[in-house]
Amino acid sequence: MASLAQWIAGARPRTLPNAFAPVIAGTGAAAWLHAAVWWKALLAVLVACAFVIGVNFANDYSDGIRGTDDDRAGPVRLVGSRLAAPRSVLTVAVLSLTVGAAAGLALALTSRPWLIVVGVACIAGAWLYTGGSKPYGYAGFGELAVFVFFGLIAVLGTQYTQALRVDWVGLVLAVTTGALSSAVLVANNLRDIPTDTQSQKLTLAVRLGDTGTRTFYQALLVIAGVLTLALTAATPWCATGLLAAPLAIRAAAPVRSGRVGAELIPVLRDTGLAMLVWSIAVAAALALAG
């Protein structure tokens, strides 16, 4: 039986910046429009956190029953490591997604009911990433999905539910967040290229190869930096987002130096922290200038 610590590790807490950062950025975009609604921001945080945890456990379940996680260098996987029964992990995944769906329903009904359709699409995307007969994560579309769900939808959805409109600032924030969120997955899949290749999991990293994936990861960080500078057109204070640069540079160091396997695990942490620091700095700048 898995211990509490192993269940917490199975939730992959290092990925939680992917939940917090989009909501922080989206709330900053709403504040820029003088329309921040803090209780809606808290609801959005609950939605995002529940979905990230649900996705992580759903992936644990789906990859585990396929045998993809039998030999991993990354964080603990409960099913693949035989620490928990597949049904138990699936139950936790469903419960997490249900909590997110309930919070999302409340957010949609107090904003625009048609957003329920977006929520359904998010749940489908969470399950079909590694679940179903033809998971899109096994075909190299994982990064694109992260860009859409944890970038465009999460940031613009947060801004829209509060301000009931979006603008170019929200769009730039969404693209930047999507690039950084995708970078987290790129780093994860870079580490797993050997095992994913062996299990015929054709992630984008497997398709690009080791060198191409390392270049792609660094390009995503550069894009985030350039877009942060573009945000200074709204207010020069958005340059404070570059406070995250030291963390991004530290995150990229193992990628640039050719580290492999478990040596790449800190990249996920540092990329997530860079995204979180960036979102807080830029959101604060927009809120103060708005």
Side-chain angles (χ1 to χ4, degrees):
M1 295 292 293
S3 65
L4 176 60
Q6 287 169 327
W7 275 103
I8 293 174
R12 306 186 74 181
R14 287 178 178 173
T15 62
L16 285 178
N18 290 66
F20 285 104
V23 176
I24 294 171
T27 301
W32 169 250
L33 297 177
H34 308 283
V37 181
W38 300 108
W39 66 267
K40 287 189 175 182
L42 292 176
L43 262 182
V45 166
L46 179 57
V47 173
C49 287
F51 275 7
V52 167
I53 293 172
V55 166
N56 288 337
F57 280 121
N59 292 348
D60 191 312
Y61 167 78
S62 297
D63 283 341
I65 62 174
R66 284 189 169 91
T68 308
D69 288 341
D70 288 351
D71 183 20
R72 282 178 61 90
V76 65
R77 288 297 187 101
L78 298 170
V79 177
S81 300
R82 312 296 191 272
L83 292 171
R87 182 176 293 274
S88 299
V89 175
L90 177 61
T91 299
V92 174
V94 171
L95 286 174
S96 296
L97 293 174
T98 300
V99 170
L105 180 62
L107 195 55
L109 291 176
T110 54
S111 303
R112 291 287 187 269
W114 61 262
L115 290 171
I116 294 172
V117 177
V118 178
V120 172
C122 291
I123 293 173
W127 175 251
L128 295 175
Y129 174 53
T130 55
S133 59
K134 293 183 179 180
Y136 63 84
Y138 280 57
F141 295 107
E143 285 79 2
L144 177 60
V146 166
F147 179 81
V148 171
F149 290 117
F150 292 104
L152 300 183
I153 291 178
V155 175
L156 294 177
T158 299
Q159 184 186 28
Y160 185 81
T161 54
Q162 296 178 46
L164 298 181
R165 66 188 179 98
V166 298
D167 68 345
W168 74 269
V169 171
L171 181 60
V172 174
L173 288 169
V175 174
T176 308
T177 305
L180 291 171
S181 292
S182 296
V184 175
L185 182 58
V186 170
N188 181 78
N189 289 343
L190 171 63
R191 183 199 65 221
D192 292 339
I193 285 178
T195 53
D196 285 344
T197 301
Q198 193 173 38
S199 61
Q200 297 184 328
K201 184 178 181 180
L202 299 179
T203 63
L204 183 60
V206 171
R207 293 181 181 276
L208 292 176
D210 185 270
T211 301
T213 302
R214 293 176 191 274
T215 301
F216 182 46
Y217 171 84
Q218 294 175 79
L220 289 171
L221 297 187
V222 171
I223 289 170
V226 171
L227 291 176
T228 298
L229 292 176
L231 284 168
T232 59
T235 170
W237 288 107
C238 281
T240 57
L242 296 178
L243 291 172
L247 282 169
I249 292 170
R250 187 174 75 177
V255 177
R256 290 197 313 271
S257 61
R259 300 292 178 86
V260 297
E263 295 176 318
L264 289 169
I265 294 176
V267 178
L268 280 73
R269 176 200 63 206
D270 292 339
T271 307
L273 286 175
M275 176 170 55
L276 191 58
V277 169
W278 169 84
S279 67
I280 292 171
V282 173
L286 291 168
L288 291 172

